[in-house]
Amino acid sequence: MSGTELQSAAMEAVEDGSGSGELDNDFFPSRLAMTGEYYIDLIAGDNPTNVMVMLHFLEHPFMAGQTDVDYLGYDLSLDLTAHPMTYELWGSSAI
């Protein structure tokens, strides 16, 4: 798995309206609430060509002293046979 493709998919979730809604705070998910930082929660695959990754995105703290506030989870499917590797974001959920 290349960090470049993973980073591209993560940035799509934060920057692209098709991935995370409008650029406002009126709807969920709100791209304004997201910091752009994320971590990998789970990597799974039942064959060597497809890998599923669960990304957890963080939101800006809304109370003093808060850090690393989970906000949004995304499922990410990576196709390891494509050159360059391709990905698809699907299924978001509040965490």
Side-chain angles (χ1 to χ4, degrees), residues 4-61:
T4 303
E5 285 82 5
L6 184 60
Q7 184 67 26
S8 294
M11 287 303 92
E12 178 180 323
V14 176
E15 296 172 355
D16 183 355
S18 66
S20 291
E22 299 298 321
L23 189 57
D24 60 31
N25 278 322
D26 294 332
F27 300 99
F28 179 85
S30 167
R31 292 187 290 148
L32 291 179
M34 298 168 71
T35 66
E37 295 185 40
Y38 65 94
Y39 61 93
I40 298 171
D41 181 52
L42 174 71
I43 299 176
D46 56 0
N47 66 55
T49 61
N50 255 336
V51 175
M52 301 302 297
V53 179
M54 171 56 85
L55 301 176
H56 283 199
F57 289 85
L58 303 180
E59 75 175 309
H60 296 286

Side-chain angles (χ1 to χ4, degrees), residues 60-80:
H60 296 286
F62 47 89
M63 292 174 47
Q66 271 187 320
T67 59
D68 298 336
V69 182
D70 283 341
Y71 179 67
L72 180 68
Y74 264 110
D75 297 308
L76 172 67
S77 175
L78 297 170
D79 181 352
L80 304 179

